[in-house]
Amino acid sequence: MNELETSYPNQASASQIISRELPDLNVYGYQVLEELSTHANGQRATYVAIDRQLDRLVVIKEWKMPVGYTAAMEHRNSPSLDYATYLPKIERLQKLDHPNISRYLHSFATPTGFCVVREHPQGVSLAELGTLPVADIKLIARAVLKILVYLQQLHPIVIHQNIKPENIIVDTQSGLQVYLVDFGLQTSSDPNSIEITPGFTPPEQLSNRQLTSASDIYSLGVTLICLLTGISTSQAPYLLDKSYRPQFQHLLPEQTHPKLVAWLEKMVEPNYQRRYLDAASARNPIANLPTKRAKIGIDLSPSKKGEWVGWGIAAGISIGLALIVRQFIFINTDESDPAEIARNQAISNQVKFEESDRGKLLKEKQCIGCNLDRQDFTKAQLSGASLNKSSLTGANFSTANLSLAIFRDADLSKANFTKANLRQAAFYGAKLIGTDLAGADLSKAKLIYAKLKGSLLRRANLSNADLKFAELQQVDLSGANLTSADFSNADLSYANLRSANLTGIKLDGANLTGATMPDGSIYQEVVNK
């Protein structure tokens, strides 16, 4: 999993990621909320964090020295992390000015390496979307290649070095916006700086040869193949033959047009000189690429029409030709069987349901960036569901099972979660303004920086929940179980805590001004316990 918009594939992985220890970057002005990915050797990790000065979400990528590294090892040509070596490349990335490139904001050295801070993009990664229709893949390809054209027109050119499904973000809330994130920082002076993603890294990058404008074309080609075939990032290496040529043709949908296949094959040529040499030359053919092979075996194009008519007349079977045309062009008549119409309608309705946001959530337990406003999910079994960045305003999840569900940056305003099972659910940055959570089980839930102003949490179970920096103004927590919950730096002003169980609660830096305490007394000051 990489970057912001990747969801958790199952309950076990969600639990593992939520409980992982996070670095303390508060001294640099950032509160780390969640780990999004980590390199296998532990030398790189990516986090989502809060910029405490500007109160906004950002992404932080950390480069760390190997475990056990000492200054003495540098003399033995061991891998090192010289921030000064990387700084020119980072500063170049900070100067990039394109609406579809996640902007680089800041970088700083740490005792174990350095960190780079960039914008938190809206949308979801292609890794989360999985398989896409060919028409959508064409749109994404054109959009990414347009970004690469911009990068390749700079002097000197900028090479992304790290294109894969996780690093292409799609925002469908404001039309189809495509963003490129997480550039590699490979430098010619440090071969250890290469960021390898097996299956996506071009051969010349693996051998630390000079990168060219064709290098990103290879990585993008593999990414598009994954979208077309449903192959995941981790499975991509198994497509490669000994020459690093992806063998994917047997996995394509039956109707994939040969011209589209040929275009992809040229994108992923192992020899960069045989690929499209730059983004502009790869982008030009896209507009005319057919999305699908013709569904019928007879060519009825204008150039062939005369040949078919001549053949029909010569054979003396004009009636037969009419029947053929009727069969393949699907002319509607009044002779349709009512039972068949009903069956087709039922199939059509089922397809529409499964393709809808509601059907996708119920079937796959995943709906990223979906619109589920005012939908009814009473008693739904959605344990481990991923609903990042989805709109759920006014939705009804009463008594639903949503344990380990992920609601990062989701809008749950005025939704109904009464008596719902939300154990260990993650609500990083979620909006729950006016949400009804009365009697809900939120034990061990992650509500860091969640916006809960005016929510109803009467008799809710928040034992061991993490609510650091949460906005809880005017929240009704009467009778709630808050045992060992962490409300550090949370705003509980004018909250109702009457009859709540505060055993072991953490209130360091919390604002309890005007809050009604369990014994009915009113606090008029900030409590630092």
Side-chain angles (χ1 to χ4, degrees), residues 442-443 447 457-467 472 475-487 492 495-507 512 516-518:
L442 287 150
S443 55
L447 290 146
L457 284 153
R458 290 190 301 267
R459 298 179 299 281
N461 180 8
L462 286 155
S463 59
N464 295 290
D466 192 345
L467 295 107
L472 294 147
V475 166
D476 186 354
L477 284 158
S478 57
N481 179 9
L482 309 180
T483 303
S484 300
D486 191 347
F487 285 87
L492 283 155
N496 181 7
L497 296 162
R498 188 184 294 273
S499 302
N501 183 352
L502 307 186
T503 304
I505 191 173
K506 297 179 182 177
L507 291 165
L512 282 160
T516 303
M517 301 308 289

Side-chain angles (χ1 to χ4, degrees), residues 13-81:
S13 61
S15 177
Q16 181 182 7
I17 291 172
I18 290 171
S19 62
R20 186 172 291 163
E21 185 177 351
L22 301 174
D24 184 357
L25 299 178
N26 283 286
V27 68
Y28 305 102
Y30 300 98
Q31 171 72 40
V32 177
L33 301 180
E34 180 184 3
E35 180 181 283
L36 297 174
S37 69
T38 186
H39 193 269
N41 62 13
Q43 290 181 239
R44 289 189 297 276
T46 305
Y47 309 98
V48 61
I50 286 282
D51 181 337
R52 299 183 64 178
Q53 182 177 358
L54 299 177
D55 192 25
R56 62 179 175 181
L57 284 174
V58 294
V59 176
I60 298 178
K61 190 161 186 176
E62 181 183 23
W63 277 258
K64 296 178 287 188
M65 288 185 290
V67 176
Y69 173 81
T70 64
M73 296 174 68
E74 187 172 346
H75 300 293
R76 297 197 294 270
N77 297 320
S78 296
S80 63
L81 278 178

Side-chain angles (χ1 to χ4, degrees), residues 112 162 169 174 199 214 234 271 290 306 360 384 418 463 468 482 490 506:
T112 58
N162 198 23
I169 307 301
S174 55
S234 61
N271 184 338
K360 185 175 181 180
T418 56
S463 59
K468 291 191 290 287
L482 309 180
K506 297 179 182 177

Side-chain angles (χ1 to χ4, degrees), residues 159-320:
I159 302 172
H160 187 281
Q161 305 179 16
N162 198 23
I163 293 177
K164 55 185 173 181
E166 287 81 355
N167 291 338
I168 299 174
I169 307 301
V170 179
D171 181 10
T172 58
Q173 297 299 313
S174 55
L176 181 65
Q177 292 293 324
V178 179
Y179 300 92
L180 200 54
V181 304
D182 197 21
F183 284 64
L185 292 181
Q186 179 178 348
T187 64
S188 57
S189 60
D190 183 6
N192 297 297
S193 66
I194 300 177
E195 293 190 48
I196 295 174
T197 302
F200 295 84
T201 305
E204 63 270 23
Q205 189 172 356
L206 289 172
S207 57
N208 200 31
R209 297 199 302 272
Q210 182 68 40
L211 300 183
T212 72
S213 54
S215 298
D216 283 339
I217 303 301
Y218 181 94
S219 304
L220 177 59
V222 179
T223 297
L224 298 175
I225 289 169
C226 287
L227 294 177
L228 194 58
T229 60
I231 295 294
S232 67
T233 299
S234 61
Q235 295 170 328
Y238 301 108
L239 295 178
L240 303 182
D241 61 19
K242 293 181 180 180
S243 67
Y244 285 94
R245 187 187 308 277
Q247 299 296 329
F248 62 94
Q249 296 81 353
H250 61 292
L251 299 172
L252 294 171
E254 289 184 8
Q255 299 299 327
T256 306
H257 199 282
K259 289 184 178 180
L260 177 59
V261 178
W263 180 73
L264 288 169
E265 288 174 339
K266 188 169 182 177
M267 295 270 285
V268 296
E269 272 285 344
N271 184 338
Y272 75 92
Q273 294 178 327
R274 296 177 183 172
R275 282 180 225 143
Y276 292 105
L277 296 182
D278 54 36
S281 58
R283 191 170 187 261
N284 290 335
I286 294 180
N288 298 321
L289 281 178
T291 57
K292 292 183 179 181
R293 185 195 302 270
K295 290 186 178 180
I296 59 177
I298 299 176
D299 187 350
L300 293 177
S301 61
S303 62
K304 297 290 184 179
K305 192 178 296 182
E307 296 179 18
W308 280 107
V309 172
W311 175 84
I313 294 174
I317 54 169
S318 58
I319 296 176

Side-chain angles (χ1 to χ4, degrees), residues 339-359:
E340 183 179 354
I341 293 175
R343 284 194 298 272
N344 291 339
Q345 185 63 49
I347 294 171
S348 176
N349 290 341
Q350 179 65 22
V351 170
K352 288 179 180 178
F353 171 76
E354 291 181 356
E355 291 179 349
S356 69
D357 287 350
R358 176 183 173 82

Side-chain angles (χ1 to χ4, degrees), residues 367-497:
C367 204
I368 311 298
C370 294
N371 186 342
L372 296 163
D373 294 344
R374 294 175 293 280
Q375 294 283 327
D376 188 2
F377 295 97
T378 304
K379 298 182 179 180
Q381 297 300 310
L382 294 167
S383 178
S386 184
L387 286 153
N388 298 344
K389 295 181 173 66
S390 291
S391 181
L392 301 154
T393 59
N396 184 8
F397 287 91
S398 176
T399 66
N401 181 7
L402 290 152
S403 60
L404 286 168
I406 311 295
F407 295 96
R408 186 172 65 241
D409 298 326
D411 188 351
L412 311 169
S413 300
K414 297 184 179 179
N416 180 8
F417 287 90
T418 56
K419 299 183 179 179
N421 177 3
L422 292 159
R423 287 193 297 269
Q424 299 187 58
F427 295 88
Y428 302 110
K431 185 186 295 183
L432 298 105
I433 298 173
T435 303
D436 190 348
L437 292 151
D441 186 351
L442 287 150
S443 55
K444 296 184 179 180
K446 300 291 184 179
L447 290 146
I448 304 168
Y449 278 97
K451 299 172 178 62
L452 289 141
K453 183 177 180 180
S455 291
L456 299 178
L457 284 153
R458 290 190 301 267
R459 298 179 299 281
N461 180 8
L462 286 155
S463 59
N464 295 290
D466 192 345
L467 295 107
K468 291 191 290 287
F469 296 96
E471 299 175 14
L472 294 147
Q473 306 96 318
Q474 304 170 31
V475 166
D476 186 354
L477 284 158
S478 57
N481 179 9
L482 309 180
T483 303
S484 300
D486 191 347
F487 285 87
S488 299
N489 298 298
D491 188 350
L492 283 155
S493 55
Y494 303 98
N496 181 7
L497 296 162

Side-chain angles (χ1 to χ4, degrees), residues 318-339:
S318 58
I319 296 176
L321 178 60
L323 291 174
I324 292 174
V325 172
R326 179 170 177 259
Q327 177 182 355
F328 287 109
I329 301 183
F330 301 104
I331 298 176
N332 291 324
T333 71
D334 296 330
E335 301 172 6
S336 300
D337 181 2

